[in-house]
Structures are given as C-alpha cells and as structure tokens.
C-alpha cells in the first residue's frame, strides 16, 4: 500500500469519526432541547398551578416555591428559599406536631399526611392564619430527596360553608339556634346524659298572647320583642344551656346535667319573672307573659320525638292553668311542684303568723349523766298540714332565701330562752343553734348584730353554741374564717354537725377553733352490730380529743349505745334514750327535775390570730 493510499484511509476514518461526533452532538442537542422543553413545561406547569407548590428537603428547608405560593403566603421565592417551613408557614401551635411527624418519617418512612388530602391552618407572612388543603408526596431517589406539597387556600370555600351552615342552623332574627340545631344539640345532650347517668330538662316556652302584640303594634315591633326576649332568656340561663327558637314565638331550652328534676323549679320561675318584666319598645311599653312546659330525659321518655311532644303538651297544660306559669309533664312531679310552690307561699307568712316554735332536745354529760345543754330544733305548725319537718322546709327556706329571717328568729328566740333559764335556775346552761351555710355566706350583717344582742342583754357567749356543717369549713374563705374568729371572741362555741357524713377530715379542723364534733346518727345507730361503725366512732373520739375537741354523739337510742360511747370516752350524748325534742315548757320541767350545778366557766382555747 502506497503512503498516499494510507493517508486517504486515515482521512476517511477521521471524517467518519467527525460525522459520528456531529451526529452525537446533534442528538445530544436535541435531547437537551427536549429536556429543556420538558423542564420549561414542568416549570410552566409548576408556576401556573392553581395550587401553591412548595418543595422542601428532608431537613425542612424550602427548595421550591412557585408564584401561587408567593401569592397565598406573602413571601417571595427569593425571601423564602433556604428558610425552613417551620419558621415561616406553619402556625406556632402546630410546630411541635410537625417536628414529631418529620422525625417519625425520617425514622420509619411513615407519616400521616403523606398522599392524602388534609385540611389545616397555615400562617401568612403578615401573621394571620388561613385554612388550607394540603397534599404531600415524597421523592426519595439516589440523587434527590424532597417533599412536594400542593397547598390550596380554601378561605373562601370555608367562609361560604360557614355562611351556609349558619343559615341552616340559626334563626336570622334572634341569632338563636333554630329547630335544626336544637335537635342536634338535644341528641348530643341525651348522649352525654347517658354517659353521666344524669337527666336533662327540656323546656318549651311559648309567649302568651304574642299575636296581640303583632296585630296591634305591627310585625316590626313583634320582631323587636322577640329579639329582647331571646336576650332575656340567654341572660337568665347558664352558658352551657341551649336556648333555641323553633318558630314564631316558640322557644326551647335544654338544661343538661340535672340530678334532681325538682331543682329546675326555681329556674322556671326565674325565667317567667324575667319574661314578665315590662318591655320598652320604641315609645311603647309592652307587657307580656309566657307559659313553660317541662319534660325530662330519661324519666318521661327516652325517645326524642316523644320528648318533644311531652314538652309541647306540658306547655299547653301551663296555658290551660291560666298562663304565666310552668307545668311538668310528669303528673307526680307537677303535684310536687305545686305543693312546693304553696309551701314557699306559706313559709313566707309563717314568721308573721307565729307558726314557728322551738323544741329543745337535751344533751347529756356522759360522765355525770347531767343535763347541761340542749339543741334548739325548729318546728313549723302549719295551719292545714300540721307539723312540718324541718328537713322538709329548711331546704326550701334556703332555696328561697327565707332562711335568713328564719335563722335570725331562731337565734333571738333561743338566746332569750336560755337567758331566762340561766337566771331562773341559776345554772351554766348552753343552747346549741343550727345555722345554714347561707347565713354565713350571705348574711354577714345579720350575724354581726347577734354579737351586739348578746352584749345588750348581758348574757355570756358561753350560753350559745352554733352548729355548722363540714361543707362550710371545706369551702371556707377569709370571710368565713374571720367570722369564726368573731364567734370565738364573743366566746360563742362552734360545733360541727353530722360529722362523718361529709368530708370527715379531722386534719382541717385544726385550722379552725372548733369546740365540738357531733357524730352523725347514722354511725351511732349501728354501734352495737356494725364493727366498722364501732371502730369509726372510737377513732373519731380519740382523734377529736387529741385535737382538744369534745364529742357529742347524736341519735343515741339504746342503753347499749350509751354504754359503748361512755367506754370510748365520748363527752356528750343526745338522743331519744334521754329525751325527744320537747317544747320549752316541757323542757323547763326537765330542768327543774335535774338541776345542774354551775361548773367552772373556763374556756379551753383562746383566739390565736
Ligand atoms: P340535726 O341538726 O341533725 O338535728 C337532729 C335531728 O335528729 C333532729 O331532727 C332530731 O329530732 C333528730 N333526733 C334526735 N335524737 C334522735 C334519735 O335518737 N333518733 C332519731 N332517729 N332521730 C333523733 P329534726 O328536729 O327533724 O331536724 C332535722 C334537721 O333540720 C336538723 O338535723 C337540722 O339539720 C335541721 N334544722 C332543725 N332546726 C333548724 C334550725 O333552726 N335551723 C337550721 N338551719 N336547720 C335546722
Ligand atoms: Ca344539729
Ligand atoms: Ca346532726
């Protein structure tokens, strides 16, 4: 082969290679263009997406941020790239959860938000939160590890949903729940009653003669009236009670968590009183009353439809009874309610009519069996019903506030009585007076006058003991604590009544200067046959003595109870064994038969504070 030939061959080869190279380059260019086009297409898609698209690496740093993201979050891409999403778009209250979710994902590859659509709140640059819908996917390849989040601002949709929900569930005039929401709430309350084993009361309230207002004053006035009524109803009820307007002038109230059905009686009366106050509408003064029907779940029915029918029926019964009243669906409850209403009325008159009398029950010194004290027990001689038990009328007097006057009457009458006895028999006698917690809480001024009365008539405070309940001490605030010290200063002693039935904590008695504990009758009753009660009585006596407190056993009925208590070192006894409570004149006879010599008049304790 000549040199020329070999040269030509080489040139050919070179040309071939160059051609191949060119082809390759062209191919590469084309591929690049395709990739670029694809990239641009993706970018365009990314940018034109109606969702915000946010990319983030596995450390939480933002690596991608499209225009829509700029729009809904208020951050430009330049500002936000390389910041963490935690510090920028996640509201503070979600940050912990977010961090936990990230940690879990990095460990196990699992997260609850992946590949599902969830609704949460996001944070705008200006600090306000807004609802978003978000879906997250993950890219986890050799050269790329990223999260892709598609985020849509759903503020408008949420707002529209709220508007629609409100329209469907609230009355536009009064803004109260309408029938629809009322039923939902009723179902909800029923379920919580089932869980708590409590009752609920359903009240149907219908305005009396509302139509007359509409007819004579016009519908605008009628509307104003309904608005005022709804605000009075709301004002009278607790936050947790639901008032709804079912139609025209028909309202309902759901009262949840009720343990005693009759306990709603005062509230019904309060609602009636509130609604019966005159209404000032523009220049018109309008008078109006309402009728209320009351039914109870589960007592009256467990069926939600029947319950509504009951409420309606009871409301018509209230109208039938002359309006401006309430009526219980259950006949027995209705009867009790009526009796109670009458009793409240009669109780108001009882003091003026001098229907009260105080009986005295001896309290015996266990060591000497001497008669040194008595408990004043109130009796009500009702003109028609005869003797009414204090356990029946005292709670009603407390509920209506009448206890203040009654309690004062008991105090002044008992003090005068013991004053006379101490003079007449020249004895160191003491009367124990029951007080209601309400007197301590609401009637501070009245109690202050007690002390001046004692001074005025010149009787020692030692002639009196006041009986209080454990509950009062458990809830004692400074006011009550100071009042107890006032009694101490006046030398009036203090007993804890019905000890053992309440909190029965001896430790807190140390904080207060208590003189006597009265062991409740329920423990004394079983002394001779119940080992637990026996142990309990003995323990109370031992502990009380350690604290310098004397013990009175209540309800002593048998000689063996008397003996056991004596053995335990119990200081005093009270009960049918010694004597029933008796009128003052009979008690005087007892004093005459068993005169008690004066003891040393020393105090066990002095005020320390
Ligand atoms: P309490 O303070 O625990 O009074 C003792 C009650 O037990 C009295 O009932 C008394 O008659 C009764 N009792 C006494 N010895 C025996 C016994 O051996 N066996 C039995 N089974 N019972 C006995 P009463 O007089 O019906 O009074 C009931 C409650 O009414 C009193 O319970 C007290 O909480 C309240 N109360 C009575 N008078 C007044 C008062 O003037 N003011 C206040 N706030 N409450 C009073
Ligand atoms: Ca008592
Ligand atoms: Ca008692």
């Amino acid at each position: 082969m000549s040199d020329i030939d070999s040269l030509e061959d080489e040139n050919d080869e070179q040309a071939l290679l160059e051609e191949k190279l060119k082809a390759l380059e062209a191919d590469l260019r084309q591929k690049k263009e395709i990739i670029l086009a694809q990239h641009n297409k993706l970018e365009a898609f990314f940018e034109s997406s109606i969702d915000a698209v946010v990319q983030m690496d596995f450390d939480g740093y933002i690596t991608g941020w499209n225009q829509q993201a700029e729009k809904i979050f208020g951050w430009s891409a330049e500002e936000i790239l390389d910041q963490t999403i935690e510090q920028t778009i996640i509201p503070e209250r979600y940050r912990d959860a977010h961090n936990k979710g990230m940690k879990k994902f990095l460990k196990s590859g699992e997260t609850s938000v992946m590949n599902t659509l969830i609704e949460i709140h996001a944070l705008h640059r200006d600090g306000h939160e807004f609802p978003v819908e978000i879906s997250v996917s993950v890219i986890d390849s050799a050269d790329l590890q990223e999260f892709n989040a598609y985020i849509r601002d759903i503020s408008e949709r949420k707002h529209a949903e709220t508007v629609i929900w409100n329209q469907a569930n609230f009355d536009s005039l009064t803004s109260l729940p309408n029938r629809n929401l009322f039923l939902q709430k009723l179902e909800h309350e029923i379920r919580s009653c089932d869980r708590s084993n409590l009752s609920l009361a359903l009240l149907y309230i219908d305005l009396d003669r509302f139509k007359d207002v509409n007819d004579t004053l016009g519908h605008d006035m009628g509307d104003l009236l309904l608005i005022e009524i709804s605000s009075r109803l709301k004002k009278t009820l607790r936050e947790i009670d639901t008032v709804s307007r079912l139609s025209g002038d028909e309202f309902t109230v759901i009262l949840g968590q009720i343990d005693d059905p009759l306990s709603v009686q005062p509230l019904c009366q309060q609602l009636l009183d509130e609604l019966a106050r005159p209404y000032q509408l523009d220049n018109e003064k309008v008078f109006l009353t309402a009728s209320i029907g009351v039914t109870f779940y589960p007592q009256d029915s467990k069926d939600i439809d029947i319950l509504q029918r009951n409420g309606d029926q009871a409301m018509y019964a209230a109208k039938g009874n002359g309006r401006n009243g309430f009526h219980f669906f259950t006949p027995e409850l209705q009867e009790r309610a009526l009796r109670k209403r009458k009793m409240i009325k009669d109780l108001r008159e009882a003091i003026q009519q001098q229907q009260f009398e105080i009986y005295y029950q001896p309290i015996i010194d266990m060591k000497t069996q001497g008669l040194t004290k008595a408990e004043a027990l109130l009796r009500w001689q009702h003109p028609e019903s005869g003797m009414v038990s204090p356990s029946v009328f005292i709670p009603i007097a407390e509920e209506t506030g009448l206890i203040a006057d009654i309690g004062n009457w008991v105090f002044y009458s008992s003090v005068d009585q013991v004053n006379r006895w101490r003079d007449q028999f020249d004895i160191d006698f003491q009367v124990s007076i029951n007080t209601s917690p309400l007197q301590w809480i609401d009637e501070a001024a009245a109690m202050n006058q007690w002390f001046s009365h004692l001074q005025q008539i010149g009787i020692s405070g030692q002639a009196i003991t006041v009986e209080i309940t454990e509950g009062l001490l458990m809830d004692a605030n400074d006011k009550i604590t100071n009042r107890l010290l006032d009694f101490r200063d006046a030398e009036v002693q203090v007993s804890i009544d019905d000890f053992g039935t309440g909190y029965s904590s001896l430790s807190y008695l140390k904080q207060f200067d208590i003189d006597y504990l009265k062991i409740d009758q329920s423990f004394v009753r079983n002394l001779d046959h119940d080992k637990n009660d026996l142990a309990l009585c003995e323990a109370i006596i031992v502990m009380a003595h350690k604290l310098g407190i004397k013990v009175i056993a209540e309800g002593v009925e048998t000689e063996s109870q008397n003996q056991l208590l004596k053995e335990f070192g119990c200081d005093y006894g009270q009960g049918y064994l010694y004597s029933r409570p008796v009128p003052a004149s009979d008690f005087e006879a007892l004093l005459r038969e068993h005169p008690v010599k004066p003891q040393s008049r020393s105090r066990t304790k002095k005020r320390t504070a």
Side-chain angles (χ1 to χ4, degrees):
M1 206 195 262
S2 74
D3 284 355
I4 291 171
D5 282 346
S6 64
L7 204 68
E8 277 178 354
D9 281 354
E10 249 174 55
N11 278 343
D12 282 352
E13 222 168 276
Q14 179 88 19
L16 210 68
L17 265 172
E18 271 172 20
E19 226 161 80
K20 268 191 182 161
L21 207 65
K22 267 188 197 147
L24 262 172
E25 271 173 3
D27 192 36
L28 207 64
R29 227 177 6 253
Q30 202 185 355
K31 279 203 172 119
K32 253 188 178 166
E33 269 162 20
I34 290 170
I35 287 172
L36 195 68
Q38 271 176 348
H39 178 79
N40 285 343
K41 220 163 117 185
L42 208 66
E43 188 100 306
F45 166 74
F46 181 71
E47 285 302 338
S48 68
S49 162
I50 59 161
D51 292 332
V53 184
V54 174
Q55 284 144 338
M56 175 184 94
D57 65 19
F58 278 13
D59 294 324
Y61 285 93
I62 296 168
T63 54
W65 188 257
N66 72 353
Q67 274 174 21
Q68 191 60 20
E70 291 190 343
K71 217 164 123 191
I72 71 169
F73 290 107
W75 295 91
S76 71
E78 280 140 56
E79 288 169 324
I80 206 159
L81 287 176
D82 295 334
Q83 295 210 56
T84 63
I85 69 157
E86 187 197 345
Q87 291 305 325
T88 51
I89 62 171
I90 297 182
E92 221 173 302
R93 59 197 162 109
Y94 296 138
R95 285 179 191 168
D96 270 354
H98 164 76
N99 285 336
K100 278 193 195 126
M102 281 285 274
K103 275 199 191 120
K104 187 175 165 202
F105 170 78
L106 293 175
K107 231 165 112 185
S108 65
E110 282 168 28
T111 106
S112 52
V113 298
M114 213 54 75
N115 298 322
T116 53
L117 205 57
I118 57 168
E119 280 183 15
I120 55 168
H121 277 84
L123 188 64
H124 189 273
R125 186 186 179 162
D126 67 13
H128 85 271
E129 289 185 18
F130 59 102
V132 294
E133 211 168 56
I134 175 168
S135 117
V136 182
S137 57
V138 66
I139 301 164
D140 191 0
S141 61
D143 48 326
L144 192 63
Q145 287 189 316
E146 261 189 358
F147 296 104
N148 263 339
Y150 299 88
I151 304 169
R152 185 172 296 180
D153 179 355
I154 53 171
S155 304
E156 274 178 28
R157 195 180 86 203
K158 281 282 159 194
H159 178 69
E161 277 171 13
T162 310
V163 170
I164 293 168
W165 194 83
N166 282 346
Q167 278 168 357
N169 290 288
F170 287 93
D171 165 39
S172 58
L173 179 68
T174 61
S175 305
L176 291 179
N178 63 11
R179 187 184 296 272
N180 200 15
L181 188 54
F182 157 68
L183 286 173
Q184 291 173 45
K185 296 243 178 185
L186 186 57
E187 272 171 19
H188 174 84
E189 274 301 325
I190 284 177
R191 277 198 299 276
S192 72
C193 278
D194 290 342
R195 280 195 299 274
S196 61
N197 266 330
L198 291 168
S199 305
L200 75 79
L202 176 58
L203 276 53
Y204 269 68
I205 306 177
D206 195 280
L207 307 178
D208 300 327
R209 303 202 171 86
F210 176 69
K211 200 175 158 298
D212 293 353
V213 177
N214 258 345
D215 290 350
T216 52
L217 299 176
H219 282 263
D220 288 350
M221 285 293 215
D223 282 355
L224 281 181
L225 186 62
L226 289 170
I227 292 170
E228 173 63 18
I229 282 169
S230 67
S231 90
R232 287 191 192 182
L233 288 172
K234 270 195 293 203
K235 204 177 72 191
T236 316
L237 296 161
R238 301 168 300 179
E239 197 74 28
I240 55 162
D241 304 325
T242 309
V243 197
S244 313
R245 180 175 173 228
L246 297 199
S247 66
D249 61 339
E250 190 187 8
F251 297 83
T252 55
V253 174
I254 306 168
L255 306 172
Q257 310 291 308
I258 288 178
D259 51 6
D260 169 23
L262 264 203
S263 69
V264 308
Q265 199 174 358
L267 180 67
C268 290
Q269 192 55 53
Q270 222 178 318
L271 286 170
L272 289 173
D273 293 345
E274 187 57 34
L275 294 179
R277 283 196 301 111
Y279 297 83
Q280 190 67 48
L281 305 176
D282 285 349
N283 294 324
E284 297 284 345
K285 204 171 208 171
V286 177
F287 293 88
L288 192 98
T289 56
S291 299
I292 305 181
V294 190
T295 187
F296 294 93
Y297 174 91
Q299 287 88 341
D300 294 342
S301 175
K302 291 191 102 172
D303 182 300
I304 191 162
D305 293 326
I306 297 178
L307 215 55
Q308 293 175 73
R309 214 166 56 216
N310 289 349
D312 211 40
Q313 266 181 32
M315 186 270 292
Y316 278 106
K319 290 218 186 264
N321 284 349
R323 300 187 162 87
N324 193 18
F326 58 89
H327 197 281
F328 288 107
F329 175 78
T330 327
E332 183 247 349
L333 264 184
Q334 174 59 12
E335 217 169 276
R336 274 171 58 198
L338 284 179
R339 272 206 304 273
K340 189 169 154 188
R341 196 149 56 185
K342 181 165 183 326
M343 182 169 289
I344 292 171
K345 190 174 143 279
D346 294 347
L347 204 51
R348 285 186 204 284
E349 295 165 1
I351 292 188
Q352 285 97 325
Q353 309 273 338
Q354 303 191 338
Q355 292 165 2
F356 286 128
E357 185 183 350
I358 297 173
Y359 276 32
Y360 295 88
Q361 184 174 32
I363 297 174
I364 301 298
D365 184 323
M366 286 233 143
K367 277 196 210 89
T368 63
Q369 298 286 301
L371 172 51
T372 56
K373 301 177 194 297
E375 177 172 3
L377 292 161
L378 188 57
R379 295 290 176 263
W380 180 18
Q381 192 65 47
H382 189 277
E384 297 145 35
S385 326
M387 196 74 95
V388 185
S389 163
S391 357
V392 173
F393 71 81
I394 294 284
I396 292 176
E398 286 175 338
E399 193 181 297
T400 51
L402 290 167
I403 191 69
D405 284 347
I406 296 176
N408 279 329
W409 183 84
V410 171
F411 180 81
Y412 290 113
S413 311
S414 319
V415 167
D416 288 350
Q417 184 63 75
V418 69
N419 195 26
R420 279 197 300 278
W421 284 337
R422 281 165 81 103
D423 282 351
Q424 203 175 333
F425 299 98
D426 187 27
I427 48 170
D428 214 8
F429 198 71
Q430 187 182 55
V431 165
S432 194
I433 298 171
N434 287 288
T435 58
S436 148
L438 285 173
Q439 290 172 267
W440 291 75
I441 295 159
D442 302 337
E443 298 298 322
M447 274 193 168
N448 280 338
Q449 288 175 7
W450 290 5
F451 303 122
S452 27
H453 181 75
L454 295 179
Q455 275 184 340
Q456 258 168 31
I457 66 169
I459 188 175
S460 156
Q462 291 179 33
I464 312 292
T465 301
V466 287
E467 299 195 4
I468 60 175
T469 55
E470 285 174 85
L472 185 76
L473 292 189
M474 292 305 281
D475 306 332
N477 51 24
D478 285 354
K479 241 166 74 188
I480 291 170
T481 312
N482 286 330
R483 168 101 330 133
L484 280 164
L485 292 173
D486 290 341
F487 276 98
R488 168 77 38 210
D489 287 348
E491 298 202 271
V492 173
Q493 295 191 303
V494 178
S495 300
I496 306 293
D497 204 355
D498 306 334
F499 189 81
T501 56
Y503 312 90
S504 313
S505 156
L506 279 156
S507 58
Y508 70 78
L509 295 180
K510 267 193 297 196
Q511 304 167 35
F512 308 96
D513 274 334
I514 299 302
D515 301 280
Y516 304 100
L517 282 190
K518 300 189 78 171
I519 304 181
D520 191 66
Q521 345 191 329
S522 53
F523 304 105
V524 176
R525 190 173 305 139
N526 303 323
L527 258 190
D528 15 26
H529 52 267
D530 186 326
K531 283 215 168 62
N532 287 334
D533 285 352
L534 188 85
L536 204 90
C537 283
E538 188 177 13
I540 291 175
I541 293 165
V542 171
M543 302 271 287
H545 284 169
K546 282 220 169 87
L547 296 169
I549 299 174
K550 296 224 149 71
V551 181
I552 303 171
E554 287 192 286
V556 182
E557 293 185 352
T558 67
E559 187 47 47
S560 82
Q561 289 164 352
N562 179 47
Q563 269 311 318
L564 284 166
L565 288 161
K566 224 167 151 177
E567 279 163 30
F568 295 156
C570 184
D571 306 277
Y572 299 93
Q574 177 185 352
Y576 294 168
L577 175 69
Y578 319 109
S579 165
R580 289 184 175 260
V582 293
S585 54
D586 294 0
F587 195 85
E588 224 166 275
L590 290 176
L591 281 176
R592 212 169 274 125
E593 286 163 32
H594 308 280
V596 175
K597 295 276 158 292
Q599 303 164 337
S600 70
R601 295 186 181 183
S602 70
R603 303 281 300 162
T604 47
K605 284 180 245 163
K606 280 275 171 300
R607 179 172 184 163
T608 46

